[in-house]
Amino acid sequence: MREAAFIASLTIRGTVFGVDLSAPLFRLPALETAPAAPSGVSLPNPSRHPSPVAPAASAEVAELQRRLLASGDQDVAALMSNESDQLDPLNVASLARWLQAKGHDMDVAEEHIHVHAHWRQSFMPAGHIPEDQIVNELASNKVYLQGNDIQGRTVFVVLAKQQEMGRADETKRFICYTLDNAIAAADPARNELRQFVCLFDLAGLRMKNLDVGALQAVFEVLQQHYPERLGELWFLNAPFIFWGLWRVVSPFIQQATKEKIKFLSGKERDRMRQYIPQDVLPQAYGGAAPMIPIENAVHARLVREGLERARSSPDSDAAEDAPDAEGRLTRAGRCTYKIPCSHRLCFTPAALAPCLHPERVFTIYPPYE
């Protein structure tokens, strides 16, 4: 039998009646290293479970949809409306996710969706978190939205050393801003559930960054309001001081979520390069991409969507592209200056760099209204 590997352990040693004794207090298992794939063979999913695919509308989903509409709940109806400006609407795929997360218990799924709809309408009545509500969090430069992995899931990086305590409400809003925009940036053609992968870098973590409330808020929001959205959560460079915080938070994490969490160290980090393209993985982790601040990636997506929407209209021309994109940026809480551009934006760091040049798309002064 192969001996299990551990990335960290703590052992108590002592002498009793002249006999040296030792006993392990705890051990933290390491991620098993996947064997290299032969040439011409596709790589397996890094998770133990295959990437879930959103099912087509089933009788079960149709019944849940009927019950929700018949409830007369205006908050639920707003999330289900095709005309809403919600970044995370209640569509067929979302209802399927809720059913899956609640063990296909129709009553439980319906109850939680009502709670979720009331929360979302009260917490973000505009359908998203405007950037002027998270000015300090954006200024901390702690989240970077990079692009998609080989499964079409959005990859974003969190730098824990940039976390500052003392603004719990803004931090929670920033968490929602991050998750909503990670969902929006996923590739539905390759990942119908529009999931995301988070690289949570703990390097340089100090006592002033050990925000138990913020980490608890991450998992609370994920589990209560973003079911089945998390693809993988990879913790990197975990220092010794992190494990005390983890022992406080981990008991509140559901088992299904725990199975998607990995602690990577040393050579295990090479696995990231197997699943994240070089032009998406940041240079700091062995890739070739620059770090893309989340607000820059969001602005590029809004402009791209504005251009695509204008092009899809038969009576539009290039001059209409900029006003449409400008309107989407303004609704996101941005103050913009219009500069026409016909360059098509692609969501990869290599393409984002020239597109975000102030002479190419939009000059954004000041960054916040």
Side-chain angles (χ1 to χ4, degrees):
M1 181 179 296
R2 185 176 61 182
E3 183 177 355
F6 300 91
I7 61 173
S9 65
L10 181 62
T11 302
I12 297 177
R13 290 185 172 86
T15 302
V16 179
F17 299 113
V19 178
D20 292 331
L21 299 175
S22 66
L25 183 59
F26 71 85
R27 288 179 172 180
L28 299 169
L31 180 66
E32 295 183 0
T33 302
S39 177
V41 178
S42 60
L43 290 166
N45 190 319
S47 174
R48 299 177 186 174
H49 310 288
S51 180
V53 176
S58 63
E60 187 181 32
V61 172
E63 172 60 17
L64 177 58
Q65 191 174 39
R66 185 197 66 78
R67 289 169 61 165
L68 290 169
L69 290 172
S71 70
D73 188 324
Q74 296 300 311
D75 290 340
V76 170
L79 290 182
M80 297 179 73
S81 171
N82 291 330
E83 298 179 357
S84 70
D85 200 22
Q86 293 284 340
L87 281 177
D88 189 20
L90 279 176
N91 50 30
V92 170
S94 294
L95 296 181
R97 286 190 298 100
W98 279 97
L99 281 168
Q100 181 177 336
K102 304 307 174 184
H104 295 272
D105 187 315
M106 185 79 67
D107 294 333
V108 173
E110 182 182 7
E111 178 184 357
H112 280 81
I113 288 173
H114 282 289
V115 173
H116 166 71
H118 298 325
W119 168 82
R120 192 165 180 97
Q121 290 297 95
S122 62
F123 196 65
M124 53 183 89
H128 61 273
I129 300 294
E131 291 183 352
D132 53 13
Q133 294 183 3
I134 51 173
V135 174
N136 296 306
E137 290 293 293
L138 287 173
S140 67
N141 297 316
K142 62 185 172 186
V143 176
Y144 299 82
L145 199 57
Q146 293 299 117
N148 301 136
D149 71 358
I150 62 174
Q151 296 179 21
R153 303 175 299 184
T154 302
V155 177
F156 66 91
V157 179
V158 177
L159 302 183
K161 67 180 181 180
Q162 301 295 98
Q163 173 62 22
E164 297 178 6
M165 295 186 282
R167 45 175 185 259
D169 183 71
E170 185 178 345
T171 296
K172 189 170 183 178
R173 291 182 183 278
F174 184 64
I175 292 169
C176 296
Y177 170 89
T178 298
L179 300 185
D180 276 354
N181 284 291
I183 292 167
D187 182 0
R190 290 182 291 162
N191 192 276
E192 293 186 56
L193 290 182
R194 303 188 78 125
Q195 294 176 306
F196 46 78
V197 175
C198 175
L199 309 184
F200 207 109
D201 192 347
L202 300 167
L205 192 69
R206 292 176 290 179
M207 291 299 296
K208 70 175 185 177
N209 311 122
L210 289 177
D211 195 338
V212 176
L215 193 58
Q216 286 179 325
V218 168
F219 290 107
E220 174 190 329
V221 169
L222 268 176
Q223 295 172 162
Q224 295 183 10
H225 302 293
Y226 295 86
E228 301 301 322
R229 290 295 198 188
L230 177 64
E232 302 277 346
L233 172 56
W234 294 343
F235 282 109
L236 311 174
N237 306 310
F240 183 78
I241 61 171
F242 173 74
W243 299 114
L245 182 151
W246 184 245
R247 293 183 67 179
V248 172
V249 174
S250 59
F252 300 97
I253 303 175
Q254 298 170 1
Q255 184 59 35
T257 302
K258 285 183 178 179
E259 291 177 358
K260 300 177 181 180
I261 299 173
K262 307 290 188 294
F263 288 87
L264 302 187
S265 63
K267 294 182 179 180
E268 296 159 355
R269 289 174 49 175
D270 293 341
R271 298 189 63 194
M272 291 188 293
R273 292 197 289 270
Q274 297 177 337
Y275 307 108
I276 303 176
Q278 285 287 293
D279 63 346
V280 173
L281 185 65
Q283 297 171 358
Y285 309 111
M291 300 279 277
I292 307 296
I294 185 170
E295 63 270 29
N296 288 6
V298 170
H299 303 159
R301 176 179 60 80
L302 292 177
V303 172
R304 184 194 67 225
E305 290 176 355
L307 297 177
E308 291 175 349
R309 179 175 299 181
R311 290 195 183 98
S312 66
S313 178
D315 58 350
S316 65
D317 55 36
E320 294 175 346
D321 294 349
D324 181 46
E326 180 185 2
R328 293 178 63 80
L329 286 171
T330 301
R331 289 195 297 275
R334 280 285 171 170
C335 176
T336 65
Y337 288 89
K338 177 174 57 181
I339 297 179
C341 174
S342 60
H343 184 74
R344 179 180 178 83
L345 298 179
C346 300
F347 190 74
T348 63
L352 283 179
C355 292
L356 291 174
H357 190 280
E359 294 181 1
R360 295 296 299 278
V361 184
F362 288 95
T363 303
I364 303 174
Y365 300 145
Y368 306 99
E369 290 182 313

